Amino acid sequence: MDRLLETIDSAGQSLKSPLRYTVAVTAMASSNKPSLIPLVVSHGQQALSETDFLAFVSAARESLLKMIATIGAPRAINATAALMDSVPQTIADQLPKHPGRSKDQYIYNDIRSRGESLWRAVYSKQAEKLEQKIGSWYPDLIEVIKTDLYGRLLSDCRIIDARSTELCTIAALVPIDVPAQLKSHVLGAGRLGATQEEIDAAHAVAQAITVCAQ
């Protein structure tokens, strides 16, 4: 496992450390290997300052929540449990104790508009065509994707910005072998400001974890 941690650091060197370890935790959740997450937590605690370690834990929790859109709730729940069970109590005590997404903030039209904006930013010229295609299969599917997934989850940038969210999405997609979606989000990450080096690093970290998980 030391070799895996070395690979995460070397392959992910184009990503700042808190994001690098967040990407790794996301890939481990997607690979259905939550047992690996405490290794990253322990490694991060040694490698990062307390401020950066707290930022990593906060970002990792948020990424796992957002990736319900990609990997599903069961894996997100199991990974969040593995993450938080391995975080020192002194760090856990500094995290928010109340939900940031509450019913008071959920105004349907505003959330849908926010989701629409992110959808178009990720898919660019293909956005409308893709929306129509998915809607032709099942109108409720595109409505839920744009409003609940893109609107309420993915476009909430208070903890993880749009660029970092796309890099985490790449990490979530690599283990589940969905080439079309991976290609779309690689392009989307670039459109949202990620460099090619950052995209390659997220992919490489996720690929290393995918191989280790097999």
Side-chain angles (χ1 to χ4, degrees):
M1 290 307 169
D2 286 344
R3 180 176 292 182
L4 176 61
L5 294 172
E6 290 173 3
T7 300
I8 289 169
D9 278 333
S10 60
Q13 61 183 331
S14 294
L15 302 170
K16 291 183 178 180
S17 298
L19 179 57
R20 182 191 313 157
Y21 301 140
T22 298
V23 162
V25 165
T26 304
M28 289 168 178
S30 180
S31 299
N32 200 26
K33 285 292 182 179
S35 59
L36 296 176
I37 291 175
L39 300 175
V40 178
V41 173
S42 178
H43 181 63
Q45 190 176 10
Q46 295 175 36
L48 301 173
S49 67
E50 181 173 332
T51 298
D52 282 348
F53 183 67
L54 178 62
F56 151 61
V57 174
S58 179
R61 289 203 312 179
E62 181 72 1
S63 177
L64 293 172
L65 171 63
K66 286 185 170 185
M67 291 311 118
I68 286 175
T70 304
I71 66 175
R75 292 188 182 194
I77 290 169
N78 292 342
T80 303
L83 173 73
M84 295 311 299
D85 285 348
S86 58
V87 168
Q89 191 61 47
T90 54
I91 297 296
D93 287 344
Q94 298 179 60
L95 296 167
K97 298 297 185 290
H98 301 287
R101 294 168 173 86
S102 68
K103 62 182 179 62
D104 296 330
Q105 298 172 333
Y106 193 76
I107 301 171
Y108 188 88
N109 288 339
D110 291 348
I111 294 294
R112 194 182 192 285
S113 177
R114 197 173 75 187
E116 176 83 19
S117 295
L118 179 60
W119 176 270
R120 294 193 177 280
V122 170
Y123 294 105
S124 188
K125 295 178 181 179
Q126 299 300 315
E128 186 173 353
K129 180 179 179 181
L130 183 58
E131 177 182 350
Q132 291 174 351
K133 188 173 185 179
I134 296 173
S136 71
W137 298 333
Y138 188 16
D140 283 25
L141 179 58
I142 190 61
E143 184 67 21
V144 168
I145 288 172
K146 290 176 65 178
T147 303
D148 296 294
L149 302 187
Y150 276 74
R152 195 172 189 195
L153 276 178
L154 299 175
S155 66
D156 188 324
C157 294
R158 287 173 292 178
I159 299 175
I160 306 179
D161 63 17
R163 166 188 145 274
S164 299
T165 297
E166 279 298 283
L167 291 169
C168 289
T169 301
I170 290 170
L173 290 170
V174 168
I176 58 177
D177 191 24
V178 281
Q181 285 76 14
L182 178 59
K183 179 180 179 181
S184 293
H185 286 280
V186 164
L187 293 172
R191 291 175 182 132
L192 292 171
T195 66
Q196 189 60 51
E197 290 76 15
E198 289 174 327
I199 293 168
D200 290 345
H203 191 288
V205 167
Q207 185 61 42
I209 290 166
T210 301
V211 170
C212 179
Q214 290 174 347

